Amino acid sequence: MKFMKLGSRPDTFYTTDSMRSVSSDVSSDIIIQVKGTRYLLHKFPLLSKCLRLQKLCAERVEALQLQIVQLPDFPGGVEAFDLCAKFCYGITITLSAYNIVSTRCAAEYLQMTEDVEKGNLIYKIEVFLNSCILHGWRDSIVTLQSTKAFPMWSEDLGVTSRCIEAIASKVLSYPNKVNLSHSYSRRGGRDDASYNGSESQRHNKSMSRGWWGEDLAELGIDLYWRTMMAIKSGGKVPSNLIGDALRIYASRWLPNISNYISIDSDSELDSVGEVTSKNRLLLESIVSLLPSEKGEVSCSFLLKLLKAANILKVSSSSKMELARRIGLQLEEASVSDLLIPSDEMIFDVDVVITILEHFMLQGQSPPTSPPRAKGEFERRRSRSAENVDMMFQESRRSSSATHSSKLKVAKLVDRYLQKIAKDKSLPLSKFIAVAEGIPEFARLDHDDLYKAIDIYLKGHPELTKSERKSLCRILDCKKLSVEACMHAAQNEMLPLRVVVQVLFFEQARAAMAGGQVTELPSNIKALLAVCKTPSKSAASFSTNGTVPPEDQWSVSGLKSPKPNVSTLKMKLDEDDDLDDSFPNGIEKSSKIKAFNMTPNRPKRMFSKLWPINRSTSEKN
């Protein structure tokens, strides 16, 4: 920290509770009152350097020998006036980064300019500010922080802008170095002691790359936003370092946001609302500073911002911007990251649907509109704005989701569905919308999806028969593992149509595996005889049986689905679940006949019961 001492006389101010005076043989002839404190001083030393006091004293010609001047709006208060008064008397004063802004504003208020006297206080402060304070990293930050107490004065005097320029220039000059970091060197020993091995190396590397991020995190959001914009506009700092700095700032100022909305006391509602409003502005500012490039901030960090955005009820534009950015790198997310709190339901499913839409839109060019005549406003549109649009479109096309990323997201979505399926307030339409947000080819197996459907059915026993059928249309029984088929075959919550499909495909798959089934129903034999094409059969019954241990069901005590085939005729006779699969006029007894149809017509009848070759969109 740099200091400057002005004056040559020692401090000779005497202070009481509300009165301050200077030791002198000459009696005081002016009283100056600043915020409740009175100063017994002399006109000559003050008026010789302060043009404002000259004007005030000239306006008031009082009969009394002791003239009183009140300064109610004096910037900096008593401490700043002390320094100015001592300077006028030639008493030594000390300036530093902590008091230079208040003293500069006070000197400007008193008009201590060169027109009044050469070498006046304003000149000396400006020399010290430009030659010393703004050359130091820590001094520049401290000075910038102190401008918050005098925002209008600091802006008019250019102190704020000069501090921001000085800080930005240092970051642009040394974006990857640590030798200017006050906070890093201060905490280096403690951090080294708390980490060991590779963890310590990773921590130190992260600190060295973003050495300026922690120091700037001490700034308020207004000054931080302006400083970061100046750094970004320089174009020399890598985007990943910008992202690291934003993450550090968010972790510094947005901890435990949920605590603000859990306070029930009426007396604290105003303070809670004020805190929430400040944090809302802070979060929206962070979103506006995010790097435009994909992957420069982690998906987990973006989802944390989105969770905070939901709690703080930020603007819809900020939420949609976060959803768009998350969609570009959704494959990096975890299930816990996607569990975003909501007011209407336990979790915000709508925003996840939006994220999925942005993920699937990667690489697709935006729709083109027909050309139109340019108006006066469009002709004057800047070329930079057009370049920004072109860069955004190119970024969108170049960031197309790969096949492997879609496979990862499919697994992620199915396990996310298992979590939200427990929410009794989750509408069926939203559950289906999330499940259908993933293309069919991305799901190599449907075990996780079936488990999510099973959880939803158990949590929503009030679903009607048609709603259960609508829910199960998103399930492809051909892609279920043996364990899942055994569970589904005895699942009483499933529609009968799904149970029939499971039994059929399991028996057919076993038959295709090498005749391991000793008793194959005649209708299935007939179907296999008609559709016996090796390549087609292999494609139809392929499945991925690899299921993580935590997602496997216990199959102990479950019987083989084979005995259910023998009782299927009775269930068909008792249940009218398959009525819509047959033309009008066919009685229930005809269903049993159809199920035992001779080999000459199995393909046509089974196409009514089980749409094997239909696409997902065609399933009724």
Side-chain angles (χ1 to χ4, degrees):
M1 187 68 66
K2 299 180 177 63
F3 299 91
M4 181 180 73
K5 294 183 179 292
L6 301 177
S8 57
R9 294 171 52 190
D11 188 346
T12 55
F13 262 107
Y14 292 91
T15 305
T16 61
D17 291 340
S18 59
M19 182 74 71
R20 298 189 180 193
S21 61
V22 64
S23 177
S24 175
D25 295 336
V26 182
S27 60
S28 301
D29 55 0
I30 186 173
I31 297 178
I32 297 180
Q33 183 170 338
V34 178
K35 297 184 182 298
T37 301
R38 289 191 170 189
Y39 291 85
L40 294 175
L41 302 174
H42 305 83
K43 290 183 179 180
F44 175 74
L46 294 177
L47 271 58
S48 64
K49 290 182 173 61
C50 304
L51 182 59
R52 189 183 187 94
L53 293 180
Q54 291 181 19
K55 296 177 181 178
L56 291 175
C57 291
E59 292 173 357
R60 299 180 181 182
V61 180
E62 299 181 1
L64 298 177
Q65 182 180 1
L66 203 59
Q67 191 170 7
I68 301 177
V69 176
Q70 295 185 355
L71 304 176
D73 55 345
F74 190 83
V78 175
E79 293 79 6
F81 186 81
D82 276 352
L83 294 175
C84 292
K86 289 175 181 178
F87 178 82
C88 293
Y89 278 91
I91 299 173
T92 302
I93 64 174
T94 302
L95 295 178
S96 67
Y98 290 99
N99 63 6
I100 191 170
V101 175
S102 59
T103 308
R104 177 65 180 86
C105 296
E108 187 69 22
Y109 180 91
L110 295 174
Q111 299 180 9
M112 302 176 71
T113 63
E114 293 296 284
D115 296 336
V116 182
E117 184 179 82
K118 294 295 183 181
N120 213 339
L121 183 57
I122 290 179
Y123 171 77
K124 293 183 179 296
I125 291 176
E126 286 292 331
V127 171
F128 179 57
L129 177 66
N130 294 325
S131 62
C132 296
I133 294 294
L134 296 182
H135 282 195
W137 167 254
R138 190 64 187 172
D139 288 339
S140 299
I141 294 178
V142 171
T143 304
L144 181 60
Q145 283 181 299
S146 64
T147 61
K148 190 175 181 179
F150 317 97
M152 298 301 297
W153 285 94
S154 300
E155 290 291 344
D156 294 341
L157 298 175
V159 177
T160 305
S161 58
R162 281 183 284 172
C163 289
I164 291 174
E165 291 174 2
I167 294 171
S169 65
K170 292 175 178 57
V171 174
L172 294 173
S173 300
Y174 310 98
N176 293 308
K177 297 189 180 299
V178 300
N179 55 353
L180 297 180
S181 176
H182 176 76
S183 62
Y184 178 74
S185 60
R186 181 178 67 241
R187 291 190 298 271
R190 185 188 67 186
D191 290 338
D192 291 341
S194 61
Y195 287 77
N196 53 34
S198 59
E199 291 184 358
S200 176
Q201 295 177 1
R202 286 196 300 268
H203 177 74
N204 291 337
K205 182 179 180 181
S206 175
M207 290 287 291
S208 64
R209 290 172 63 248
W211 61 268
W212 48 274
E214 285 211 359
D215 290 338
L216 294 188
E218 300 175 9
L219 298 173
I221 186 58
D222 293 337
L223 297 175
Y224 181 82
W225 189 87
R226 292 175 59 181
T227 305
M228 290 298 295
M229 287 299 295
I231 293 173
K232 290 181 66 176
S233 62
K236 296 182 180 180
V237 178
S239 297
N240 61 330
L241 295 187
I242 298 291
D244 288 344
L246 294 175
R247 177 184 51 79
I248 293 171
Y249 191 81
S251 62
R252 166 71 172 82
W253 293 99
L254 289 175
N256 302 323
I257 297 177
S258 58
N259 293 341
Y260 297 131
I261 63 173
S262 61
I263 301 176
D264 298 327
S265 175
D266 294 337
S267 61
E268 297 179 351
L269 287 179
D270 292 339
S271 61
V272 172
E274 182 180 356
V275 171
T276 302
S277 178
K278 290 181 179 179
N279 283 322
R280 186 183 300 120
L281 173 63
L282 187 149
L283 183 55
E284 291 175 350
S285 300
I286 292 177
V287 173
S288 68
L289 290 171
L290 290 172
S292 57
E293 297 85 354
K294 174 184 175 181
E296 300 301 343
V297 291
S298 67
C299 187
S300 177
F301 172 59
L302 293 174
L303 282 161
K304 288 178 182 177
L305 291 181
L306 186 55
K307 290 179 181 180
N310 257 24
I311 295 175
L312 297 173
K313 295 180 173 59
V314 302
S315 63
S316 58
S317 59
S318 295
K319 287 183 61 176
M320 290 302 102
E321 175 63 15
L322 286 173
R324 183 188 70 81
R325 291 176 178 272
I326 294 169
L328 295 178
Q329 49 196 97
L330 183 57
E331 66 274 11
E332 303 172 11
S334 64
V335 175
S336 59
D337 291 333
L338 292 177
L339 299 178
I340 302 168
S342 174
D343 293 335
E344 300 177 358
M345 298 178 293
I346 298 178
F347 303 115
D348 191 341
V349 180
D350 291 328
V351 73
V352 175
I353 295 174
T354 303
I355 291 172
L356 277 173
E357 291 174 352
H358 284 293
F359 172 76
M360 297 307 302
L361 284 174
Q362 292 183 80
Q364 298 183 16
S365 300
T368 58
S369 57
R372 58 180 178 178
K374 292 186 177 181
E376 181 67 21
F377 174 78
E378 291 177 332
R379 282 196 296 268
R380 289 184 296 174
R381 187 183 183 197
S382 65
R383 180 171 298 179
S384 60
E386 296 176 356
N387 292 337
V388 169
D389 291 345
M390 293 178 62
M391 290 174 61
F392 174 75
Q393 294 177 13
E394 287 297 326
S395 174
R396 185 175 180 180
R397 283 191 289 266
S398 62
S399 60
S400 59
T402 62
H403 182 74
S404 61
S405 66
K406 291 180 180 178
L407 297 180
K408 291 180 182 178
V409 171
K411 281 288 185 184
L412 172 68
V413 168
D414 288 347
R415 293 180 182 177
Y416 169 76
L417 287 170
Q418 296 173 19
K419 292 292 185 180
I420 65 173
K422 303 174 184 178
D423 183 4
K424 295 185 179 300
S425 60
L426 176 64
L428 177 62
S429 58
K430 294 185 185 294
F431 184 93
I432 295 176
V434 175
E436 291 181 340
I438 297 300
E440 181 64 24
F441 72 85
R443 286 190 175 97
L444 299 181
D445 64 80
H446 277 218
D447 283 16
D448 287 335
L449 180 60
Y450 167 70
K451 187 173 182 179
I453 292 175
D454 181 52
I455 295 173
Y456 189 86
L457 289 172
K458 291 177 180 177
H460 300 77
E462 74 283 355
L463 291 179
T464 64
K465 185 180 300 182
S466 61
E467 288 174 335
R468 287 188 290 117
K469 290 168 63 177
S470 298
L471 174 61
C472 292
R473 285 194 184 103
I474 61 179
L475 186 66
D476 188 349
C477 298
K478 299 189 300 293
K479 294 186 177 182
L480 293 178
S481 65
V482 176
E483 292 82 0
C485 286
M486 293 178 66
H487 188 280
Q490 303 184 62
N491 192 341
E492 297 179 355
M493 301 296 294
L494 292 176
L496 182 58
R497 163 179 240 166
V498 178
V499 176
V500 172
Q501 286 181 319
V502 169
L503 291 171
F504 165 69
F505 287 118
E506 183 58 27
Q507 294 283 1
R509 179 167 52 189
M512 293 298 299
Q516 299 175 2
V517 180
T518 57
E519 297 180 4
L520 194 62
S522 60
N523 58 331
I524 296 180
K525 289 180 180 179
L527 180 63
L528 293 176
V530 174
C531 304
K532 194 171 183 181
T533 304
S535 61
K536 183 176 180 180
S537 301
S540 300
F541 303 117
S542 62
T543 182
N544 186 353
T546 59
V547 183
E550 65 272 13
D551 292 332
Q552 292 179 356
W553 296 288
S554 175
V555 296
S556 59
L558 289 178
K559 298 179 180 179
S560 172
K562 177 184 172 183
N564 290 339
V565 179
S566 61
T567 61
L568 186 58
K569 300 175 184 179
M570 186 186 343
K571 291 185 178 181
L572 286 170
D573 192 34
E574 295 173 354
D575 200 300
D576 61 350
D577 188 55
L578 297 176
D579 284 345
D580 58 348
S581 298
F582 292 88
N584 294 332
I586 300 180
E587 298 178 354
K588 291 183 180 180
S589 59
S590 65
K591 302 175 189 177
I592 302 176
K593 294 178 182 179
F595 193 77
N596 292 287
M597 188 68 62
T598 53
N600 58 349
R601 295 177 63 195
K603 186 175 180 180
R604 178 170 59 86
M605 296 310 299
F606 273 97
S607 67
K608 295 179 179 291
L609 283 172
W610 306 287
I612 304 172
N613 296 322
R614 298 184 188 179
S615 63
T616 304
S617 61
E618 295 174 17
K619 290 181 181 180
N620 51 15

